[in-house]
Amino acid sequence: MQRWNKELGWKACGTVLFVMTLFLLFPRSPHLQAIEAVSGLPTLAESAVTAIVPTALTDNNSPLDFTTLEPAIAQAAPNYQPRQVIELADPSNYGDRYGTDAYGQPIRNQFIAVLHETVGSAQSAINLFQTYHPNDNDQVSYHTLIGRDGTIYYIVPPEKRAFGAGNSVFNGPNGPETVTTNPAFPSSVNNFAYHVSLETPGDGRGNGPSHSGYTQSQYESLAWLLAQSSIPNNRITTHKAVDQSGSRQDPRSFDYNHFLTLLNRYPNRAGLG
């Protein structure tokens, strides 16, 4: 009996040590504070013409205060209005933005815009985003997608965190920026990123280094979309630039100068160049 009790005691100790090891390797994140309510954002009940546009962080001392810019400003000049459609992703493919990181530290990053391309068709990407993915490694989304005809598809609400980039860092004027929201995964820019993807042309549906490029309608819609935000030009970046795996090259064949020319036509971009 004494020997049996001793063996049982050793097994219990072994179980406790195993559990403690799991907690050390994959600690919980009790300090995460999700942004549950935001001010100044349209609701899904409104028409797609005004709903779900990129937002600006207006209070540098509070990451919880978001507001939209006046929609009429960007409409004044040039007079461009894209077609807009709401195609919401399955909730498994996006998450909350947080006001604190996994270690309880406040998050003060200003927004960046990260540009992507779909590689496949716009519809295939939307189908993927609207599919339930229980496995973390399969979850993916953008906030918006721009089709070849310039249609803007709103996929993830701007106050939510789209899963557009994995292991990623934004190297901007303030130095490297990245946020850890789960210690079991690499840090990323997702918590402060607004992800926009362009539908790839038919000749770019592979892994080649380039393709025929994007349509004028796509560039016009992208400029119109980002003119709704106060994200400065030097915080508009690409998936290739923020990716730390070295495997991402999108958006291939993107004419950044042409895009900036269109974006800077909007009066509200003054001072953001």
Side-chain angles (χ1 to χ4, degrees):
M1 178 66 70
Q2 186 176 2
R3 179 180 178 183
W4 183 84
N5 287 337
K6 185 179 294 185
E7 289 179 353
L8 184 63
W10 280 113
K11 288 181 179 179
C13 289
T15 301
V16 171
L17 287 173
F18 177 72
V19 172
M20 291 178 65
T21 301
L22 286 179
F23 272 98
L24 288 173
L25 291 176
F26 303 103
R28 299 180 64 186
S29 303
H31 303 294
L32 284 172
Q33 295 180 6
I35 298 173
E36 297 179 354
V38 295
S39 61
L41 289 177
T43 66
L44 290 177
E46 298 183 48
S47 70
V49 174
T50 58
I52 316 183
V53 296
T55 55
L57 183 59
T58 56
D59 182 355
N60 291 334
N61 295 317
S62 174
L64 308 184
D65 180 20
F66 294 75
T67 183
T68 55
L69 300 180
E70 287 294 330
I73 295 178
Q75 297 302 308
N79 186 21
Y80 179 79
Q81 181 66 54
R83 176 175 178 264
Q84 298 165 81
V85 178
I86 294 176
E87 292 279 6
L88 290 182
D90 184 89
S92 65
N93 290 313
Y94 63 88
D96 291 321
R97 293 191 192 270
Y98 295 108
T100 55
D101 67 12
Y103 309 106
Q105 298 301 309
I107 297 172
R108 302 298 185 194
N109 307 81
Q110 296 293 300
F111 282 130
I112 62 174
V114 182
L115 307 182
H116 304 254
E117 65 173 296
T118 59
V119 180
S121 68
Q123 189 58 57
S124 65
I126 291 171
N127 290 344
L128 176 65
F129 303 149
Q130 293 181 337
T131 300
Y132 171 66
H133 290 121
N135 190 324
D136 289 349
N137 294 320
D138 298 330
Q139 296 166 354
V140 63
S141 61
Y142 309 122
H143 288 95
T144 51
L145 190 158
I146 301 176
R148 297 288 290 167
D149 64 353
T151 298
I152 296 176
Y153 299 94
Y154 296 106
I155 298 166
V156 173
E159 70 271 21
K160 295 297 185 179
R161 177 170 49 98
F163 301 152
N167 183 9
S168 53
V169 175
F170 174 64
N171 291 300
N174 300 322
E177 298 180 46
T178 188
V179 172
T180 299
T181 55
N182 186 337
F185 291 92
S187 62
S188 81
V189 300
N190 287 339
N191 200 73
F192 56 95
Y194 187 84
H195 293 285
V196 185
S197 185
L198 300 167
E199 182 180 10
T200 302
D203 64 347
R205 305 289 168 86
N207 294 320
S210 63
H211 51 61
S212 58
Y214 308 99
T215 66
Q216 178 65 15
S217 295
Q218 285 179 297
Y219 281 111
E220 290 279 6
S221 291
L222 179 61
W224 179 91
L225 182 68
L226 292 185
Q228 312 306 306
S229 79
S230 64
I231 299 173
N233 292 0
N234 63 6
R235 293 185 71 82
I236 300 174
T237 185
T238 65
H239 194 189
K240 177 180 179 180
V242 301
D243 175 57
Q244 295 296 289
S245 71
S247 63
R248 308 300 182 183
Q249 53 182 335
D250 56 314
R252 297 165 295 168
S253 303
F254 183 75
D255 190 339
Y256 193 76
N257 290 331
H258 180 53
F259 159 68
L260 281 185
T261 298
L262 297 175
L263 179 62
N264 291 333
R265 294 180 305 170
Y266 290 91
N268 62 322
R269 298 301 297 179
L272 296 175

